[in-house]
């Protein structure tokens, strides 16, 4: 069966978005790319101040509520629908819930051929990238660097620390059927 979805999981500033764009460059056919940041950006501003939404503290901790989770489930189903309709998709996500986050994707992507990719980056390098980006609270990258991988199972893992994004994309693309 042909790979229909590539799920990239890694902490903030680990290089997932750059890897997704690099995969689009190296894969032989066109792939759509969607990020958890796209979902957060699409949500109403009110969900960033309500208990049921998403809260990102000054120290980089992320807390999500019931409303966020409901919309995230619908977003996952929408991504899966695109893949089922014939559009191969790269997803860039942060599994804050570890195995339960992966299980949410597994439920939505049931019946599809999925490549699970762990995107790792040394926490000091991710923190350096975070400062350079200036669009994340300092501390988020370090908080997420390892916890997002605990209990998660992958088909392939890449470490973006000091590696060329196209090299990492080539390693992932080698596992795409």
């Amino acid at each position: 069966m042909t790979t229909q979805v590539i799920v990239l999981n890694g902490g903030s500033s680990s290089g997932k978005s750059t890897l997704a764009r690099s995969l689009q460059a190296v894969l032989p056919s066109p792939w759509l790319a969607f990020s958890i940041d796209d979902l957060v950006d699409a949500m109403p501003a009110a969900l960033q101040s309500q208990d049921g939404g998403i809260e990102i503290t000054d120290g980089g901790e992320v807390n999500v509520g019931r409303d966020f989770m409901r919309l995230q489930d619908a977003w996952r189903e929408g991504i899966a629908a695109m893949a089922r309709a014939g559009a191969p998709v790269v997803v860039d996500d942060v599994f804050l819930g570890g195995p339960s986050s992966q299980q949410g994707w597994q439920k939505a992507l049931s019946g599809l051929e999925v490549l699970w990719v762990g995107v790792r980056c040394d926490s000091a390098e991710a923190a350096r990238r975070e400062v350079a980006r200036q669009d994340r609270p300092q501390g988020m990258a370090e908080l997420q660097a390892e916890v997002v991988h605990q209990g998660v199972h992958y088909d392939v893992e890449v470490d973006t620390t000091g590696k060329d994004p196209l090299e990492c994309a080539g390693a992932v693309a080698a596992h795409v059927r």
Side-chain angles (χ1 to χ4, degrees):
M1 188 170 198
T2 303
T3 304
Q4 298 164 290
V5 180
I6 300 170
V7 177
L8 308 175
N9 174 50
S12 179
S13 301
S14 63
K16 298 177 309 297
S17 297
T18 301
L19 178 57
R21 286 189 299 278
S22 297
L23 280 164
Q24 287 177 309
V26 303
L27 291 168
S29 61
W31 285 65
L32 298 176
F34 295 97
S35 167
I36 188 67
D37 291 339
D38 298 328
L39 172 63
V40 172
D41 291 344
M43 291 193 175
L47 276 187
Q48 294 182 14
S49 61
Q50 294 176 349
D51 288 343
I54 181 169
E55 174 197 24
I56 302 173
T57 69
D58 291 339
E61 185 178 345
V62 179
N63 301 303
V64 297
R66 187 177 54 247
D67 293 333
F68 178 90
M69 298 296 285
R70 181 179 55 78
L71 292 172
Q72 182 182 32
D73 287 345
W75 179 70
R76 287 175 177 158
E77 291 294 335
I79 298 282
M82 284 186 279
R84 286 187 181 95
V89 179
V90 179
V91 175
D92 154 2
D93 202 349
V94 180
F95 288 4
L96 295 174
S100 66
S101 295
Q102 187 173 35
Q103 290 164 0
W105 275 113
Q106 287 169 329
K107 178 182 174 194
L109 301 173
S110 177
L112 294 168
E113 186 67 24
V114 181
L115 181 68
W116 299 95
V117 181
V119 181
R120 295 186 180 268
C121 182
D122 176 76
S123 62
E125 172 60 16
R128 184 197 67 74
R129 293 175 186 175
E130 178 179 75
V131 169
R133 290 175 65 157
Q134 299 182 353
D135 68 345
R136 299 281 191 274
Q138 290 186 17
M140 181 182 283
E142 189 173 353
L143 285 172
Q144 295 177 359
E146 291 302 321
V147 72
V148 300
H149 299 292
Q150 293 175 355
V152 178
H153 300 283
Y154 300 113
D155 298 309
V156 62
E157 294 186 47
V158 293
D159 187 334
T160 66
T161 310
K163 286 198 176 138
D164 180 77
L166 289 174
E167 178 185 346
C168 292
V172 172
H175 291 84
V176 173
R177 295 191 258 177

